[in-house]
Amino acid sequence: MDKLTRKQRKFAEEYLVDCNGTKAAIRAGYSPKTANEQAAKLMSNPKIKSYIEEKLDEMSSEKLADAQEVLEYLTSVMRGEHTEQVFRLNGNGVQVVDYIQVSAQERLKAAELIGKRYGLFKGAFELESIAPIILINDLKD
């Protein structure tokens, strides 16, 4: 990928803050009078668009849990390795925070979600077929 100029990179970084091209152009050093036109021109530049998309993908992957992370969390809850906060009155009108193990209900829910993920709970009436079922009425009256 070709390099962006310093000003183009600054525009792209500022655009990632609020996704407002005009404001990003102003913060990147473009004239407020022509910022709207500059933003449109910059956003049509394939190098800048590619850079912004790449950064948005990075930001998204950092913020979103993947399937492995979710399963690891559910497993740790199911095994009772997590605690939750509860507030308890101290007796002097002051609350203190205690940490207790997650409830059996929460552990059961985590186990259920893991079981569903791995298909452990199949209903008695679930049928799986790759061939169509054809019913023929060939009975005589």
Side-chain angles (χ1 to χ4, degrees):
M1 183 170 107
D2 295 328
K3 300 259 185 189
L4 298 177
T5 67
R6 190 170 13 149
K7 206 168 188 180
Q8 288 173 332
R9 184 176 304 276
K10 177 71 173 163
F11 167 79
E13 295 292 338
E14 292 296 334
Y15 181 82
L16 292 168
V17 171
D18 57 9
C19 295
N20 184 314
T22 302
K23 289 181 181 179
I26 293 168
R27 291 191 301 258
Y30 291 92
S31 166
K33 290 181 182 179
T34 62
N36 191 37
E37 293 81 18
Q38 289 295 331
K41 181 179 173 185
L42 291 163
M43 289 303 294
S44 67
N45 182 323
K47 293 186 291 185
I48 295 173
K49 284 171 57 174
S50 177
Y51 179 81
I52 289 172
E53 287 173 12
E54 182 182 312
K55 291 298 180 184
L56 285 172
D57 287 346
E58 286 175 15
M59 290 166 57
S60 176
S61 66
E62 290 171 5
K63 291 182 180 181
L64 295 177
D66 62 5
Q68 181 68 28
E69 186 177 356
V70 170
L71 289 172
E72 287 172 2
Y73 174 75
L74 289 173
T75 300
S76 68
V77 169
M78 183 194 76
R79 291 180 176 162
E81 297 169 354
H82 268 276
T83 59
E84 59 185 339
Q85 290 182 348
V86 293
F87 296 99
R88 183 176 49 87
L89 282 175
N90 192 6
N92 300 327
V94 177
Q95 286 186 337
V96 293
V97 178
D98 278 339
Y99 293 89
I100 61 170
Q101 284 190 336
V102 293
S103 68
Q105 180 180 356
E106 294 300 318
R107 293 173 69 176
L108 182 60
K109 181 64 178 177
E112 180 183 336
L113 290 170
I114 293 169
K116 283 181 180 178
R117 161 61 181 92
Y118 289 110
L120 299 176
F121 311 118
K122 296 276 184 191
F125 297 107
E126 285 187 28
L127 297 176
E128 201 170 301
S129 173
I130 57 172
I133 298 173
I134 302 172
L135 302 175
I136 300 173
N137 184 2
D138 61 354
L139 298 175
K140 295 183 180 177
D141 290 329

